[in-house]
Amino acid sequence: MSRNVVPVGPYHPLLEEAEYFTLTVDGETVTDIDLDIGWMHRGHELISERKSFTQSIYLVERICGICSTSHPLACVHAIEDVDNIEIPERAAYIRTLIGELERIHSHLLWLGLAGHFIGYDTLWMWAWKYREPVLQMIEIISGNRNHYGMMRVGGVAKDVDPASVPELRKQLDTIDSKMDMIAKAAKDDPVLKSRLKGVGVLTKQDAIDFCAVGPTSRASGVRGDVRKDEPNDAYGLVDFDEIVTENGDVYDKLVVRVLETIESTRICRQCLDKLENINGPVLNNVKEIGIGEGIGRYEAPRGEVFHYVRTDGTNRPIRHKVRAPSYVNIPTFEASCKGIPIADALITLASVDPCYCCTERSIKINHAGGDSPGINLLQLSRAKTERIRRTIHG
Amino acid sequence: MIAEYLFFILIFPGLLFTAVLGLIVGWVDRKVSARFQFRVGPPFFQNFNDFFKLLGKETIIVKDSIHYMFITAPLIAFGMLVIVSVMVGTALFYNQGFGGDIIVIMYLLMVYSVMVIFGGASSGNVYSSIGAGREIKLLLGDELVFILITLVPIIQSGYQLQLTEILQFQFMNGAVIASLSGFIAFVLGLIAIQAKMTLPPFHIPEAETELVEGPLMEYSGGLLAFWKLNHFMMYVVFPLLLILLFLGGFHLQGLGILWAVLKYLLIVVLIIIIKNTNPRVRIDSALNFFWKYATPLAFVAVILAVLGV
């Protein structure tokens, strides 16, 4: 059979964002894959440098619509890291509670989308229906369903009303029973198993080589979870397991996510227990951020979010660098998508739960034509860091 | 005579009846699927509105396509379905033959799949050609099963190929499905028509999230409207064929009408349940399933039928 090229993107119903994969196929088998990202211009890092710290937190919340508390959390961690700012214990539990609720809703969202990608629309709708209580809980806590606006340097913006805790607990129970059902269904469904087992395997070595993070690497047997490795907020104070599986296929990624969701409900329950007992402020008043640099890490649903902030004593960062988990997870397609049928390759593309909007920072347009956009992202990024280093150190 | 035949072809049980009932059953399918998925579902006239709206839209003919194939494929496919529905319908509703036996029906239904392949392959789009390739493979998988299971009623009725004779046999001796071989053949038939209608789990050629509707990708306007109509008409043609071959046809008097509706709904609901509880299988798993399991089982059914079980 002749060699063919199947374009996935720039606009393709598989993923709702703009991305471009060129699959070289031989019949139905993918022989080569070319990744081309950089179809969106966000400019968040540059905008952030013109905003005050408090505004920056709201800004980075808009980097991702799904993990919309992971970026603010990593950002406040980074800013707090500059001056070693402590946060009240109650605030730590609220942060962890919101973070874990977001993990539940993000994993359920992925589960539904994965169902849609393999043509299982019933699973899609069910997963999204069971996601509804999570959004309701977040609405009870923060007043918003998607962009919560809760994170502040030195704590959280709003306290959780003690009167709402029983209601939150009730909603959590409904999620629990549904998650048990979904976990059982995912583990026992023979059709789902035959469709996903052994598909798009990312070996342990490949996961390490590509520096994959989050559920993508944990499904391949690589331990690594910021919540366990460098516990911040209340993660050191609650009891939960790190889910690691060995096979690295799409099925294992599904299992990891489903089990993580169940762990998340455990964490949420512990947080709610503590919130009933611990009283006190939720926000330390932070007047000034000193000169220095800070690093913030947080285990987003997709993996480790990394924020770097450099300050010069004013109320705005002079450099704010964001690395989203998809940035390291997307290149793993090079290892996992070759030599498998198109049908498998496409679910593998979706299996890392990629978020292109979060990943992309800038775009290079060559007016003379010929050069594809996004090709020199890394060089541009390095050159910019170098330029800033020069201005600081003279 | 000619007026009667024209009535058969154009109104009942041909074009108009099949198209209208198909669109209504298509609505039932969408509504039940929506209920499965905690959605509200479309209003009753949605399918009709879609069809007429598509007719009024611009039909874009791809420059690189093979024009005559691209344009005629949906229309020929439509014609095939009308003829099949007339043959099956006259046997079921009037108990009279329409100049064709079960072998002709097999041929015409295969032509339908071939038209999907032609339409997809002629459009010059990479997704369409892959979709057409998958349709060929799927046809290779389900066709043999489909032919084998139709042998079961033929053998049981004493090697009769005429639809009316098969019906007559079932009026006399009870429905084919009551026997073991008939039951196996009916179950396999349900699965095979799932593949023939390219419904989940066999919507492999159209695979929206992979191939963007595959063979239908480049179709628009009126031609797309006909493909959609064809799809809904299959909700009439295939269940009626199964009823004719396995469930003993209709007795359209008194309670018989209720039974007729129940038989039809039974098959449609089974199709919808299978559709909503399965993910899309890979094309190689589908072939694996049809060749390794379904075809041998169909052979077993045929042998059982010969043995008279």
Side-chain angles (χ1 to χ4, degrees):
Chain A
M1 238 183 225
S2 64
R3 292 170 73 80
N4 248 326
V5 167
V6 178
V8 180
Y11 298 100
H12 189 280
L14 178 70
L15 296 155
E16 55 287 356
E17 296 163 87
E19 78 295 318
Y20 191 28
F21 302 111
T22 318
L23 307 181
T24 309
V25 296
D26 187 359
E28 280 263 345
T29 313
V30 176
T31 53
D32 199 7
I33 180 167
D34 184 30
L35 316 176
D36 188 358
I37 58 172
W39 295 80
M40 278 164 285
H41 182 204
R42 308 296 306 278
H44 271 119
E45 290 176 10
L46 194 67
I47 301 170
S48 175
E49 289 158 19
R50 293 165 188 174
K51 303 265 182 208
S52 70
F53 289 116
T54 316
Q55 289 170 326
S56 279
I57 296 163
Y58 285 104
L59 176 76
V60 295
E61 193 156 10
R62 268 76 189 164
I63 287 180
C64 184
I66 301 167
C67 38
S68 61
T69 212
S70 302
H71 284 284
L73 257 174
C75 183
V76 292
H77 288 160
I79 298 169
E80 284 161 5
D81 187 39
V82 175
D83 270 358
N84 292 323
I85 297 164
E86 295 287 324
I87 62 166
E89 200 181 359
R90 192 171 166 83
Y93 280 109
I94 295 175
R95 279 185 182 183
T96 302
L97 176 65
I98 296 174
E100 289 310 305
L101 285 176
E102 181 192 81
R103 192 180 315 280
I104 299 172
H105 109 73
S106 174
H107 281 348
L108 278 175
L109 186 129
W110 176 84
L111 184 66
L113 283 179
H116 176 54
F117 296 149
I118 57 170
Y120 199 171
D121 285 358
T122 309
L123 177 66
W124 176 25
M125 292 295 163
W126 284 39
W128 281 30
K129 181 186 160 64
Y130 298 144
R131 176 173 161 259
E132 204 56 31
V134 190
L135 297 181
Q136 241 149 42
M137 286 174 75
I138 295 172
E139 193 175 347
I140 293 170
I141 293 171
S142 71
N144 299 318
R145 282 164 66 88
N146 263 341
H147 292 292
Y148 323 127
M150 287 286 277
M151 298 307 152
R152 286 280 193 292
V153 177
V156 293
K158 220 174 122 185
D159 198 359
V160 172
D161 183 5
S164 67
V165 172
E167 174 63 21
L168 292 175
R169 227 182 262 283
K170 214 175 84 190
Q171 299 276 12
L172 203 57
D173 286 339
T174 63
I175 301 167
D176 248 2
S177 59
K178 300 301 179 201
M179 278 321 296
D180 285 345
M181 192 192 83
I182 288 179
K184 219 178 270 168
K187 276 183 174 167
D188 294 343
D189 190 338
V191 189
L192 212 56
K193 225 178 206 171
S194 73
R195 182 70 181 77
L196 299 179
K197 212 144 178 91
V199 166
V201 177
L202 182 69
T203 58
K204 189 169 183 176
Q205 192 54 45
D206 280 335
I208 294 170
D209 289 349
F210 280 98
C211 304
V213 292
T216 309
S217 68
R218 287 199 286 277
S220 298
V222 182
R223 300 196 89 82
D225 187 331
V226 178
R227 297 178 293 169
K228 278 279 185 205
D229 301 341
E230 279 185 26
N232 37 33
D233 298 334
Y235 283 114
L237 309 171
V238 291
D239 174 38
F240 69 100
D241 293 330
E242 182 182 352
I243 310 289
V244 180
T245 58
E246 293 302 323
N247 299 322
D249 52 9
V250 179
Y251 181 75
D252 270 25
K253 286 173 187 148
L254 184 141
V255 169
V256 166
R257 288 198 172 93
V258 170
L259 295 182
E260 264 184 20
T261 315
I262 293 170
E263 288 303 312
S264 289
T265 58
R266 265 179 71 198
I267 299 175
C268 287
R269 203 155 297 218
Q270 295 171 47
C271 287
L272 287 176
D273 288 344
K274 296 286 181 185
L275 284 178
E276 277 181 328
N277 299 325
I278 298 170
N279 289 312
V282 291
L283 185 60
N284 282 345
N285 203 356
V286 180
K287 292 283 186 202
E288 267 182 3
I289 308 288
I291 303 171
E293 51 186 6
I295 286 171
R297 301 165 74 194
Y298 177 70
E299 185 73 17
R302 287 156 184 74
E304 178 197 350
V305 169
F306 177 92
H307 278 238
Y308 165 84
V309 171
R310 183 188 282 274
T311 58
D312 60 353
T314 60
N315 69 339
R316 53 184 70 175
I318 55 169
R319 177 77 177 100
H320 187 177
K321 168 78 186 159
V322 179
R323 197 207 65 183
S326 299
Y327 188 71
V328 282
N329 282 342
I330 289 171
T332 63
F333 298 152
E334 292 269 5
S336 56
C337 284
K338 284 181 188 168
I340 55 177
I342 300 173
D344 287 350
L346 291 183
I347 179 67
T348 311
L349 290 183
S351 70
V352 307
D353 200 359
C355 190
Y356 300 97
C357 276
C358 314
T359 308
E360 299 182 2
R361 294 288 159 258
S362 73
I363 192 163
K364 181 196 170 221
I365 294 170
N366 191 339
H367 290 287
D371 202 351
S372 90
I375 208 160
N376 290 326
L377 268 182
L378 195 62
Q379 286 96 315
L380 278 175
S381 165
R382 280 184 187 150
K384 190 179 171 197
T385 314
E386 193 57 40
R387 204 165 58 237
I388 287 161
R389 186 172 293 154
R390 270 203 305 276
T391 54
I392 293 167
H393 300 294
Chain B
M1 195 69 176
I2 294 204
E4 196 187 9
Y5 274 14
L6 275 181
F7 177 77
F8 283 163
I9 292 175
L10 292 180
I11 299 177
F12 183 88
L15 197 154
L16 192 66
F17 168 73
T18 317
V20 172
L21 185 62
L23 289 175
I24 292 172
V25 175
W27 170 78
V28 172
D29 169 34
R30 289 174 71 174
K31 194 80 180 172
V32 174
S33 298
R35 287 300 176 192
F36 255 94
Q37 303 170 356
F38 306 111
R39 288 186 288 120
V40 179
F44 182 75
F45 284 108
Q46 189 63 52
N47 281 336
F48 294 91
N49 294 343
D50 286 350
F51 177 71
F52 288 113
K53 196 183 101 178
L54 273 177
L55 281 185
K57 292 283 179 188
E58 185 191 0
T59 304
I60 298 165
I61 309 289
V62 186
K63 216 190 213 169
D64 293 339
S65 67
I66 305 167
H67 291 199
Y68 68 93
M69 255 159 80
F70 186 75
I71 295 167
T72 50
L75 304 174
I76 295 176
F78 177 69
M80 294 303 139
L81 284 181
V82 170
I83 299 173
V84 174
S85 71
V86 174
M87 285 180 182
V88 176
T90 45
L92 268 178
F93 297 111
Y94 297 102
N95 202 15
Q96 71 185 73
F98 193 82
D101 52 22
I102 196 148
I103 292 178
V104 178
I105 289 180
M106 293 283 101
Y107 264 110
L108 292 177
L109 287 176
M110 203 203 265
V111 169
Y112 178 85
S113 300
V114 173
M115 281 306 130
V116 176
I117 294 162
F118 276 5
S122 65
S123 70
N125 183 301
V126 62
Y127 295 115
S128 300
S129 53
I130 291 177
R134 288 184 177 187
E135 180 83 31
I136 296 175
K137 289 172 195 157
L138 197 60
L139 184 66
L140 290 176
D142 63 36
E143 194 60 31
L144 188 54
V145 178
F146 197 57
I147 292 173
L148 284 175
I149 60 120
T150 52
L151 282 179
V152 171
I154 293 175
I155 292 169
Q156 287 203 2
S157 62
Y159 301 92
Q160 296 291 344
L161 287 175
Q162 293 293 338
L163 299 176
T164 45
E165 298 292 331
I166 292 172
L167 270 182
Q168 201 57 43
F169 165 79
Q170 296 188 63
F171 285 148
M172 300 294 192
N173 304 306
V176 172
I177 194 176
S179 63
L180 179 63
S181 59
F183 182 74
I184 297 174
F186 176 74
V187 173
L188 289 173
L190 261 184
I191 297 170
I193 66 170
Q194 205 84 10
K196 284 206 157 291
M197 291 168 73
T198 60
L199 288 177
F202 300 111
H203 54 321
I204 313 166
E206 285 162 21
E208 186 202 340
T209 47
E210 290 166 27
L211 298 181
V212 208
E213 293 293 319
L216 310 188
M217 186 187 186
E218 292 291 350
Y219 279 98
S220 54
L223 294 178
L224 182 64
F226 271 100
W227 275 129
K228 293 288 172 198
L229 183 63
N230 290 345
H231 181 74
F232 289 128
M233 279 166 70
M234 287 199 284
Y235 277 99
V236 179
V237 173
F238 282 111
L240 288 188
L241 186 62
L242 279 191
I243 289 171
L244 191 153
L245 290 177
F246 296 103
L247 298 185
F250 296 149
H251 304 267
L252 291 172
Q253 290 151 352
L255 269 181
I257 295 175
L258 183 69
W259 274 115
V261 174
L262 281 181
K263 278 176 188 172
Y264 181 65
L265 280 183
L266 170 78
I267 293 181
V268 170
V269 167
L270 281 176
I271 288 174
I272 296 173
I273 289 176
I274 298 174
K275 178 187 155 183
N276 276 303
T277 49
N278 282 294
R280 178 171 54 238
V281 294
R282 255 195 326 265
I283 185 70
D284 54 321
S285 333
L287 287 186
N288 216 1
F289 168 76
F290 276 117
W291 284 345
K292 271 194 189 155
Y293 304 104
T295 309
L297 203 57
F299 266 116
V300 169
V302 171
I303 291 167
L304 286 177
V306 172
L307 296 176
V309 182

